[in-house]
Amino acid sequence: MNSAAFLRSHRSHDVPFLLERWKALAKSTGLEIRTAFVSGGLPVVFIHSPQTDAPRLYISAGIHGDEPAGPSGLLAWAEENTALLRRLPVAIFPILNPAGLSLNTRADHRHIDLNRRFHDASHPHIKAWWKCISDMTFTTGICLHEDYDGQGIYCYELYHNPRLCIAETALRACEHIIPRDPRPSIDGRPAKNAVIRRRRIPAMPGLPEAVALFMHNTQNTLTFETPSEFSLADRVNTHKAFLQSVTADL
């Protein structure tokens, strides 16, 4: 489908519609699905493999509700990789901020940017997130985002072991859809070929999800960004291609 047709027909902010597809996918793959929290009257759904003691892949999307390509790209990838999801231990938050996605706002319905609140375990939304993953460890964590200032795709990579770094390979797999952000500094941080790589936790206001994951003994954490001024169809396909690359050898 071309970009104009996709834009006319997409339902990227239709949370009930998206969640019905996730329910069907969970049923077909044997994944467990439950409501972790209710935000603004909409469920925050957590989907995971029945195995609880295996290293697993963590993926989330939609923590910022005005970044719709991540949730749609994640769903498209999952629906095309059911065989993988039957065997690969995963933990997925497909729409981490359903109220924000429904409203098309960065924050949730209470005007809170959840991606700066992971230090606050007393916040009910964050508390529910921690409860879901507290007994899980992850090899790789992926957080899907978009950036209205972005000039192309880019990726933050936090890593414990440099041999496990995969951001460069993943960007190479999807730059044919949207090119890399050419800036040498992105969001005030040095970037090399659109990769912002850190081994130590960066100083920033509030605690983002990816950093919380990294502190939770995740071997490497990727925050993937597409530029929100580009075509929605291209952004969705780019998120899908990014995930396809990261999971190709798992």
Side-chain angles (χ1 to χ4, degrees):
M1 184 180 294
N2 64 39
S3 295
F6 183 88
L7 193 60
R8 288 194 299 269
S9 64
H10 82 92
R11 299 174 69 176
S12 298
H13 293 279
D14 187 342
V15 173
F17 171 75
L18 298 175
L19 290 181
E20 282 302 314
R21 288 169 62 182
W22 276 106
K23 290 176 185 176
L25 185 141
K27 184 177 181 180
S28 70
T29 56
L31 294 172
E32 296 183 3
I33 181 170
R34 69 176 190 265
T35 297
F37 185 65
V38 176
S39 175
L42 292 167
V44 178
V45 167
F46 179 54
I47 301 169
H48 64 94
S49 305
Q51 311 98 301
T52 58
D53 58 347
R56 54 183 67 217
L57 172 70
Y58 174 99
I59 312 174
S60 79
I63 194 169
H64 291 144
D66 59 352
E67 301 174 8
S72 291
L74 172 56
L75 178 57
W77 168 83
E79 290 178 334
E80 293 180 10
N81 287 274
T82 54
L84 176 69
L85 291 173
R86 290 188 186 99
R87 67 169 180 79
L88 176 67
V90 295
I92 301 172
F93 284 95
I95 307 172
L96 199 45
N97 177 12
L101 186 64
S102 180
L103 295 168
N104 194 21
T105 60
R106 178 181 175 89
D108 67 3
H109 61 296
R110 299 185 185 278
H111 311 293
I112 293 173
D113 184 345
L114 296 171
N115 204 38
R116 296 295 183 270
R117 293 301 292 266
F118 281 83
H119 60 285
D120 184 3
S122 67
H123 187 285
H125 200 138
I126 305 305
K127 183 178 180 180
W129 180 85
W130 277 115
K131 184 177 180 180
C132 287
I133 69 162
S134 61
D135 62 345
M136 298 178 180
T137 58
F138 306 106
T139 303
T140 300
I142 304 172
C143 304
L144 301 178
H145 282 260
E146 302 202 78
D147 181 3
Y148 65 88
D149 284 330
Q151 297 178 18
I153 58 173
Y154 66 92
C155 187
Y156 293 91
E157 182 165 38
L158 289 168
Y159 66 95
H160 289 290
N161 185 340
R163 291 179 296 175
L164 298 177
C165 289
I166 53 177
E168 170 61 33
T169 300
L171 290 184
R172 195 180 308 129
C174 54
E175 63 183 344
H176 65 286
I177 308 172
I178 297 177
R180 301 190 196 210
D181 193 313
R183 293 174 293 173
S185 176
I186 300 174
D187 200 22
R189 303 186 186 281
K192 183 178 181 180
N193 207 17
V195 177
I196 305 163
R197 186 170 286 131
R198 299 290 295 267
R199 195 167 188 170
R200 296 181 180 179
I201 297 171
M204 57 185 66
L207 187 67
E209 175 194 11
V211 177
L213 272 175
F214 188 67
M215 295 169 65
H216 187 61
N217 199 30
T218 303
Q219 288 301 307
N220 68 318
T221 304
L222 306 173
T223 302
F224 179 57
E225 303 266 4
T226 53
S228 57
E229 295 299 311
F230 282 57
S231 153
L232 178 58
D234 285 348
R235 286 150 43 205
V236 169
N237 286 329
T238 304
H239 279 279
K240 185 172 70 170
F242 183 87
L243 291 169
Q244 194 68 37
S245 174
V246 171
T247 58
D249 297 324
L250 298 179

